[in-house]
Amino acid sequence: MGLVFNLFNLLLSYGSLAIAVPTSSILLRPRADGVVNQTTCNGEQYTYQQLAGYGFVPSNARDSYGDTLGGFGSSIAIDQKSWKLLKNGTYTGTLYAVPDRGWNTQGTLNYQNRIHKFSISFTPAPNATLANPSPPNLFLIYESTTLLTDPTGTPTTGLDADPQGGLTIPGFPLLPAATYTGNGFGQPGPGGHRASLDTEGLVLAKDGSYYISDEYGPYIYHFSPSGTLLSAIQPPPAYLPRRNDSISFSANSPPIYDPARAVVPANPQSGRSNNQGLEGLTISPDGKTLYALMQSALINDGGPDNPNRRQARLLEYSIPGNPHQEPEYVAEYVVTLPLWTDPTAKKSKQLKVAAQSEIHALGNGAFFILARDSGAGRGQSSTTSIYRHIDIFTLANATNIKSPTNDAVNGSIASPTGTLNPGIQAATYCSFLDFNVNSQLNRFGVHNGGAQDAGLLDEKWESIAVVPVDGKKGKDGEFYVFSLSDNDFVTQDGYLNGGAYHYADASGFNVDTQALVFQVQLPQDADPLT
């Protein structure tokens, strides 16, 4: 089972923090009937009832390979078959989580990509109040880790991909790859050449395998239950990053041992922007359709700058019943991302796009989407987040933009300023659940804005998983929505490379991985249990 630890005592002490929060950071207040917010989207009602839970994993926790257990809020999935409501009112289940490319705040490293497995213990605290806040009531107990390899068994890496070329394997598209010296951590070693992944989206397939989306490609990878790469989906040519008329997978994120390495030009000239790949990945409840959403607009659609990078493309793939067949690209849509105003920026730069970090299919043609600001939270220069939402979009009236013209190299569906081309209807977008409601957060001893302490919400929230409140099928329409933060592996007691590489983040902070559980009511035709 690997390294197992129980966070109960640590979590109880953490929940007793005294918090002082300015009222100006409360963006939304509960209604008199106890409902935090209601939204009608495409004629259907969605209700945010309450914040139901909170927990965290310490920044210096380590996995069974001796590496820091960080960044795993990048994407999560809960095994629906494991979700149980016990007679004592506690829920249990199994959660899978994928970290991104490892500790990279000071440069990328030769971190082997992986999938972590946790057991969940969650006991709702409906009577938690501002006057009598609940201690953490969600416990994530680490179970095991699956390391990812290419088809030959060679470990994958989080190192930035080479500016030119890639890894050639028969039966696969050209894979982003990194050529490194030494051991890839700035220490002696033989050097090597490995497939580069910046893993951001996770889907559990019905056969126990995993679909994972990444930012370097941006690709969708299919891994076996043991972590071996089975196949790779390369998106249409319009998505592929190009510099100087050639595919260039680098995200201009040099390794920590060569910080002066320059990529020219710094940003690709078309395709995905640096670090703005397939951030969102979800699957239909029947397991037959994959959806992958770009974090923000392609460069050819208005990216990479604010506020023009609003038009994010959504890819739809049909998964065949034959496991030996590749998924088929069947449709493509546009999601117009929301805007927010950054009060810390100069006036001409205040309008920004809330880039998306995750999506989740709701089974009724609608999707949850986690859109957020950046630069505010634990360890950041600002403590007050302005826009940190799980919103909703629906494809009911959206235009299928899949075409040879739109998907060609430099194919464009929007102007350089982000205005959609005539005849294109984006998905209907509806604001819904605000993370930053302090009247809810304070019920669990955490907050948005105010003191730079351990109770301050992390900056990056990047995952969504949905489970039924009834512990069965959710026929009553009530569900819990789990979301975890990506702490960027920021700790003063970090370990990588099998525990042989010790680091302390230059920020001086210890940023725990935080978890929130929201209770919501969905329309009766929703089926979000993927």
Side-chain angles (χ1 to χ4, degrees), residues 333-336 395-401 420-428:
Y333 303 94
V334 183
V335 179
T336 302
L395 301 177
N397 300 306
T399 304
N400 181 357
I401 62 168
L420 284 175
N421 292 346
I424 296 179
Q425 177 67 47
T428 300

Side-chain angles (χ1 to χ4, degrees), residues 503-516:
Y503 71 90
D505 192 84
S507 68
F509 281 93
N510 291 298
V511 178
D512 300 325
T513 298
Q514 300 172 334
L516 294 173

Side-chain angles (χ1 to χ4, degrees), residues 98-155:
V98 60
D100 48 18
R101 58 187 176 181
W103 178 56
N104 66 100
T105 61
Q106 294 159 224
T108 53
L109 291 164
N110 194 16
Y111 174 79
Q112 186 173 2
N113 307 94
R114 60 198 67 192
I115 301 167
H116 297 307
K117 179 181 178 181
F118 297 83
S119 60
I120 301 169
S121 178
F122 167 57
T123 305
N127 296 323
T129 64
L130 300 178
N132 187 25
S134 169
N137 60 338
L138 168 64
F139 306 100
L140 299 178
I141 304 162
Y142 172 75
E143 296 286 344
S144 62
T145 294
T146 299
L147 299 177
L148 303 184
T149 69
D150 73 17
T152 71
T154 302

Side-chain angles (χ1 to χ4, degrees), residues 419-468:
T419 301
L420 284 175
N421 292 346
I424 296 179
Q425 177 67 47
T428 300
Y429 195 102
C430 308
S431 181
F432 177 46
L433 188 157
D434 186 353
F435 282 59
N436 296 334
V437 182
N438 274 314
S439 55
Q440 291 295 306
L441 296 173
N442 294 172
R443 293 172 51 239
F444 292 88
V446 291
H447 60 102
N448 173 52
Q452 182 63 259
D453 57 27
L456 178 66
L457 286 192
D458 289 350
E459 174 202 16
K460 297 181 177 180
W461 292 82
E462 299 194 353
S463 51
I464 300 173
V466 182
V467 288

